[in-house]
Amino acid sequence: MSSKSSGSLVAERTLQVILLFQNNKKLTLSEIAKSLEISNTATHRIVSTLWEQGFLLRDESKRYMLGSIFIKLAQMVEPNLRNTALPIMKKLSKETQESIYLSISHNPSYYVFIEGVESPHPLKWSVDFGNPASTYAGAGGKTHLAFHNEDRWSEVIHGNDLTPYTNNTIIDKAKLLNELETIRTQGYAISKSERYQGVIAISVPVNNISRQATSTMALSIFIPEYRFEDNKLDFYISMLMKAAREITLKL
């Protein structure tokens, strides 16, 4: 094996070690090695380097966890996402005359809104920034869940009580799984009074490089039901997808 390919393998395994902590608060060396199916010796070299550089911490029982450096990195990333997306979102809101929001999900069960541009109309829909929202209902939530790692779908859907928000909320678990497959195939989700009565929402994924993502972003448009016109649905979807591609390219 060449030094270049060897270095690439080490880099890949290092990233895999870090990604394990998205779903595990603490892990032992042997648990990491077992998860990645590599030797304890190779795991020890990678973990020791991450520990020495402050990316991992180790408690008294020799279990590892993410270091505070990731909090600092996250604080740098989200403002960059918002600053990158905001001009494109303002343009989209002006073109559609409706409210546009950007959301992010690091856990398949929940997502949060991080940026938004409100409609110029007096009657509009607004969101609570930073408050976790469940992913099984509504266009935004279902877009996040659909483009998360498919292995987590069953955990979210079968591991929770699907409480209806309105009479239109999909709580049939088999039907919801089919809905997620459809969203993945067509690349967008639509919600009609499914989470909030009287609100039509359309969402598309942003920066979806992998179809087995562990973190997702979504761009959404929210329209009061009385103002929504069925013949404009294709227009809204195409404009959202165009804006999502622009954000992806800038990121």
Side-chain angles (χ1 to χ4, degrees):
M1 181 180 294
S2 67
S3 59
K4 181 178 180 180
S5 59
S6 177
S8 298
L9 182 59
V10 172
E12 181 180 350
R13 285 177 173 173
T14 301
L15 290 174
Q16 289 173 342
V17 169
I18 293 172
L19 290 174
L20 285 176
F21 290 92
Q22 287 191 119
N23 302 315
N24 301 276
K25 187 174 181 180
K26 293 185 179 183
L27 290 168
T28 64
L29 195 68
S30 59
E31 287 172 338
I32 295 172
K34 184 178 180 180
S35 296
L36 299 184
E37 298 181 346
I38 59 177
S39 68
N40 284 340
T41 301
T43 304
H44 183 266
R45 285 197 296 266
I46 295 170
V47 170
S48 294
T49 300
L50 289 171
W51 176 70
E52 290 168 1
Q53 297 298 320
F55 287 95
L56 293 181
L57 300 177
R58 186 174 61 199
D59 64 15
E60 297 83 356
S61 60
K62 295 186 178 181
R63 293 185 300 170
Y64 292 88
M65 68 198 84
L66 292 179
S68 59
I69 190 171
F70 285 99
I71 298 176
K72 297 177 182 177
L73 291 173
Q75 291 171 342
M76 294 170 62
V77 170
E78 278 202 5
N80 180 55
L81 293 177
R82 295 197 299 269
N83 292 337
T84 299
L86 188 56
I88 299 170
M89 295 169 65
K90 286 181 177 178
K91 179 183 176 184
L92 181 59
S93 180
K94 184 177 180 180
E95 291 170 334
T96 61
Q97 294 291 290
E98 300 297 348
S99 297
I100 307 296
Y101 289 97
L102 182 70
S103 54
I104 191 166
S105 171
H106 299 300
N107 182 307
S109 295
Y110 301 98
Y111 71 102
V112 294
F113 290 102
I114 62 172
E115 188 57 272
V117 180
E118 292 190 348
S119 165
H121 292 289
L123 183 59
K124 54 201 168 188
W125 188 81
S126 302
V127 307
D128 292 325
F129 291 105
N131 289 336
S134 54
T135 55
Y136 68 82
K142 290 187 296 184
T143 296
H144 281 294
L145 185 54
F147 286 92
H148 260 292
N149 192 316
E150 190 174 353
D151 292 341
R152 307 293 300 280
W153 289 4
S154 180
E155 173 188 334
V156 174
I157 295 174
H158 295 292
N160 295 280
D161 292 328
L162 304 185
T163 305
Y165 291 91
T166 72
N167 290 334
N168 291 344
T169 305
I170 301 174
I171 57 174
D172 182 284
K173 297 181 178 181
K175 185 176 179 180
L176 183 54
L177 284 170
N178 289 334
E179 175 91 348
L180 295 178
E181 291 284 3
T182 299
I183 292 169
R184 271 202 176 190
T185 301
Q186 65 190 15
Y188 63 88
I190 301 174
S191 168
K192 296 183 177 181
S193 293
E194 187 176 314
R195 191 183 189 96
Y196 302 99
Q197 194 66 46
V199 176
I200 305 294
I202 309 165
S203 299
V204 300
V206 178
N207 201 29
N208 179 44
I209 298 172
S210 169
R211 292 173 67 85
Q212 294 292 317
T214 53
S215 183
T216 57
M217 286 187 289
L219 189 65
S220 305
I221 183 170
F222 294 92
I223 310 165
E225 194 167 10
Y226 84 92
R227 200 160 61 226
F228 179 77
E229 300 175 25
D230 286 328
N231 61 1
K232 294 186 69 175
L233 177 59
D234 289 343
F235 165 74
Y236 291 131
I237 293 171
S238 64
M239 294 300 288
L240 273 171
M241 287 184 167
K242 178 183 176 184
R245 287 194 296 268
E246 289 180 18
I247 295 172
T248 298
L249 288 173
K250 288 185 178 294
L251 289 175

